Amino acid sequence: MTDQTMVLRVENISKRLGGRQILKDVSLELHRGELKVLIGPSGGGKSTLLQCINFLIPPDEGRIWLGEQQIEIHRKQDLYAYRQKVGMIFQDFNLFDHLNALDNVSIALRKVKKIARKDAEERAMRELERVGLGDKTTLYPSQLSGGQKQRVSIARALAMDPEALLLDEPTSALDPELIGEVLGVIRNLAQDGMTMIMATHQLGFIRTLADDILFMQDGQIIEQGSPAELLDAENGSRTQAFCAKLNELSDESET
Amino acid sequence: MDEWNFFIHQVVPALNRGLVQSMWLILPSASIGLCLGALVGTLRAYGPLPLRKACDIYATVFRGTPLLVQLFVLYFGLPSIGIYLSPYTAAVLGFILCTGAYQSEYVRGAFLSIRRGQLLATQALGFSSMQSMLWVILPQAMRRALPGCGNEIIYLIKYSSLAYIITFIELTGEGKILAVKYFRYTEVFFAIGLYYLFMVTLANFLLTWLEKKLYIPGFGRG
C-alpha cells in the first residue's frame, strides 16, 4: 500500500518537561499508506512524541512538514488547518460527554469546517457505519462501552478526511474482550491505505500490519526496522527482547 | 373574625406591596449577579494571571465579609467620600457584588471539573480556543454549575431581606412595620415566612424544570 509520497516529516524534535528531557532529537518520515508503530517502555516518550506532532504539546525544537508545507505553530489559522488534516486517537477516547455519538462525530464538521448540519450528519452517519456503529448514533458516551467509545472517536477523526492518523495506545484502556473490535477497525483502515503512526503493544497486530517499527526509549528512537527484521528471535535487538518480555507477561496473565 | 379581617385588610396588602419591592430587588440582582459570576468564574479558571488574581481577591473579600457589613459600607460609608446611593441602588449593588462572588465559585468549579482530555480532543480536531469554549466547554460547565448557581439564587431570595436594614422597605420591611404597629409579631412574621417559602418554591420549580430540560444521560451523575 505504501508509495513514496511523503505525508508527514518530523525533524529533530526535542522537548523538556519539568526539567526532564522527554524527547531528544527525534526524526521520522511517514509515507502515504504507511503504518508505523511506536513501541517501547512507558515513560519512553511515545505519547509526548505523538502529541508534539500535532502541537498539543509544543516541541521546544524541531520542524514538522505536512506534505511540502512546513507548519508554523505561531500562525494560528495554519495550526488549526494542519490539525484538521492530522487526526488523533487518544488512549482514553476523549469523547464529548454532552453529545451523542452522531453529534460527537459531526460537531467538528459543523463548527470547524462549517459544513451544513444536514451534510455533516450524513457524513457522520457514514463514518459511524464504517466503524460498525450505525445503530448507536443517538447514544451518549455514558451509554457506550469502551470499545464503542473508541470506535466513535475513530469515526470522529475520519470524518475530518485526515491525511494521517496519530493513535496513542488506542486499546490500552480497554477490557481485553473489547480490544478486538477496535483493532479490527484499525486493521480495515490500514488495508484501505490510511497513513498512520500508532503507539501500541499489540504484538499480533504489529507483526501482521506494521510496515515499520520504531522502538523508543529515554526519548529517542533507538531501533527502527520492519517487523521481520526487528522481531526475529535470532537478531538480539532491543525490540525483540522487549517483545519477548511482553509475550511472557501476556502468557502469564492467560494461565 | 377579627383575625381574618386583620389578615385580609392589613397583612396581605402590605406584604403584597413588599413582595413586589422584593421582586424588584431579586430579579436584577439574581440575573446581573449570575452574569457577573459567570464572567468572574471564567476569568478565575482561564483568565490571564493578573486578572485571575484580581478576581480571586474580589471573591475572597465578598465571600469573606458579612453581606450586612457590605451594605452598610455602600449605604452609610460611601457618602463620606462623596458617593450617595439611594437605598435601592445600594441594596441591588450589594446583592450583585455578593452573589456574583458566590456564583463565580460555582462557575469556576464547573470549569475545573471538565476533563482536560476533551479540551485536547477539540484542539486535535482544529477547534480554536473560542470554538472549544463555545461548543464543548460551556455546554458542559453550564450543566455542572446549574445546581450550585440555583442554590445561590435561593439564598439571594432570602438574604434580600437585609435591604430593609438600609431603609429599602421590601417584604420583610413592610412586615416589620406592621408587626410593630399592631404588636403582632408571631402572625406577621409567620406570614412573611410563607411569602418567602412561596418565592423559593417557585424558583425551585423553575430550576428543576431547567435541570430536566438540560438533562443528558449519564452527564453529571456518576
Side-chain angles (χ1 to χ4, degrees):
Chain A
M1 279 295 190
T2 315
D3 66 30
Q4 285 312 302
T5 321
M6 184 90 72
V7 176
L8 203 60
R9 182 147 61 102
V10 174
E11 230 179 58
N12 308 108
I13 295 279
S14 292
K15 180 71 190 176
R16 292 184 75 84
L17 280 173
R20 238 187 95 222
Q21 188 84 34
I22 308 288
L23 291 177
K24 287 178 212 156
D25 221 15
V26 175
S27 299
L28 61 87
E29 290 176 354
L30 196 62
H31 298 95
R32 190 163 307 287
E34 192 178 25
L35 171 58
K36 271 190 162 50
V37 163
L38 290 172
I39 63 173
S42 59
K46 304 184 295 288
S47 192
T48 309
L49 173 60
L50 290 174
Q51 297 203 32
C52 277
I53 291 179
N54 65 358
F55 299 101
L56 290 183
I57 299 174
D60 297 334
E61 284 163 55
R63 286 168 296 178
I64 293 172
W65 283 264
L66 181 72
E68 296 296 305
Q69 195 197 357
Q70 189 184 341
I71 310 308
E72 267 295 337
I73 186 172
H74 303 293
R75 274 191 236 131
K76 290 271 182 220
Q77 291 311 319
D78 285 7
L79 179 65
Y80 299 149
Y82 165 71
R83 283 173 171 166
Q84 290 174 42
K85 291 180 200 150
V86 179
M88 178 111 192
I89 307 298
F90 299 90
Q91 185 175 337
D92 39 12
F93 332 126
N94 293 340
L95 292 186
F96 305 132
D97 289 339
H98 66 303
L99 298 176
N100 66 25
L102 189 71
D103 288 338
N104 256 287
V105 179
S106 68
I107 188 161
L109 298 176
R110 288 187 277 127
K111 303 305 179 191
V112 178
K113 289 200 160 182
K114 316 278 185 203
I115 296 173
R117 177 180 278 273
K118 187 170 161 291
D119 299 335
E121 286 183 347
E122 266 173 27
R123 177 66 201 267
M125 192 69 210
R126 277 209 307 281
E127 295 303 339
L128 283 170
E129 277 164 3
R130 182 166 163 191
V131 299
L133 293 173
D135 56 339
K136 300 275 191 274
T137 53
T138 59
L139 296 186
Y140 287 85
S142 67
Q143 299 167 314
L144 298 168
S145 73
Q148 290 167 339
K149 281 190 233 187
Q150 193 59 295
R151 286 189 281 154
V152 172
S153 96
I154 293 173
R156 178 173 71 177
L158 292 176
M160 301 297 282
D161 284 322
E163 297 195 19
L165 277 187
L166 313 172
L167 301 100
D168 188 3
E169 305 208 26
T171 59
S172 51
L174 297 176
D175 289 337
E177 73 270 23
L178 301 177
I179 290 176
E181 62 187 72
V182 172
L183 286 184
V185 168
I186 300 171
R187 177 173 293 123
N188 289 341
L189 291 180
Q191 284 160 355
D192 291 347
M194 175 59 76
T195 312
M196 295 186 273
I197 309 182
M198 175 171 171
T200 182
H201 288 148
Q202 296 295 322
L203 290 179
F205 180 88
I206 296 172
R207 273 205 190 87
T208 52
L209 285 165
D211 295 299
D212 215 8
I213 296 177
L214 308 176
F215 187 86
M216 277 194 88
Q217 192 171 12
D218 301 325
Q220 286 174 307
I221 296 173
I222 58 172
E223 284 176 358
Q224 176 166 5
S226 70
E229 285 161 22
L230 289 186
L231 296 180
D232 180 2
E234 302 300 308
N235 83 353
S237 70
R238 186 67 191 82
T239 310
Q240 199 277 328
F242 181 79
C243 291
K245 193 93 189 161
L246 281 184
N247 256 340
E248 251 171 58
L249 289 173
S250 68
D251 286 348
E252 268 170 31
S253 66
E254 275 160 28
T255 49
Chain B
M1 219 48 223
D2 194 30
E3 284 292 307
W4 184 247
N5 276 331
F6 174 65
F7 261 97
I8 295 299
H9 296 296
Q10 301 293 332
V11 179
V12 171
L15 294 193
N16 283 351
R17 217 165 41 236
L19 181 68
V20 173
Q21 294 303 311
S22 282
M23 288 293 190
W24 273 112
L25 285 174
I26 293 164
L27 292 176
S29 304
S31 45
I32 299 173
L34 184 60
C35 296
L36 176 69
L39 181 70
V40 172
T42 310
L43 288 172
R44 289 177 70 198
Y46 299 117
L49 197 62
L51 217 51
R52 194 186 311 171
K53 283 278 170 255
C55 289
D56 280 347
I57 291 171
Y58 154 70
T60 308
V61 168
F62 281 86
R63 291 195 308 138
T65 55
L67 174 58
L68 192 57
V69 173
Q70 296 164 21
L71 292 177
F72 280 171
V73 169
L74 287 172
Y75 187 63
F76 297 117
L78 289 186
S80 68
I81 56 165
I83 300 172
Y84 295 87
L85 300 178
S86 72
Y88 177 75
T89 314
V92 169
L93 192 60
F95 293 159
I96 288 174
L97 289 172
C98 177
T99 202
Y102 280 101
Q103 297 287 25
S104 80
E105 194 67 7
Y106 294 116
V107 171
R108 185 179 74 98
F111 279 126
L112 296 185
S113 76
I114 292 166
R115 287 181 303 114
R116 204 180 103 75
Q118 295 189 63
L119 200 60
L120 286 181
T122 59
Q123 290 171 348
L125 287 163
F127 282 69
S128 67
S129 318
M130 203 59 196
Q131 286 168 332
S132 352
M133 192 65 181
L134 209 54
W135 304 113
V136 175
I137 307 296
L138 267 184
Q140 296 191 29
M142 194 176 73
R143 288 176 168 86
R144 290 260 160 86
L146 188 60
C149 292
N151 193 37
E152 174 55 26
I153 289 174
I154 284 168
Y155 268 123
L156 170 65
I157 291 173
K158 291 175 294 170
Y159 63 62
S160 71
S161 64
L162 289 179
Y164 98 91
I165 298 180
I166 55 166
T167 75
F168 182 79
I169 303 306
E170 38 63 82
L171 183 52
T172 308
E174 290 281 3
K176 177 91 188 309
I177 291 167
L178 209 62
V180 170
K181 189 171 165 193
Y182 293 96
F183 205 70
R184 299 175 85 153
Y185 290 92
T186 315
E187 302 94 316
V188 173
F189 280 111
F190 187 75
I192 295 173
L194 286 180
Y195 270 71
Y196 279 104
L197 192 59
F198 165 74
M199 281 194 280
V200 168
T201 308
L202 193 68
N204 220 349
F205 179 78
L206 287 173
L207 288 163
T208 312
W209 172 81
L210 195 61
E211 239 177 272
K212 278 206 184 109
K213 190 158 173 60
L214 294 175
Y215 173 72
I216 282 172
F219 189 84
R221 303 186 184 185

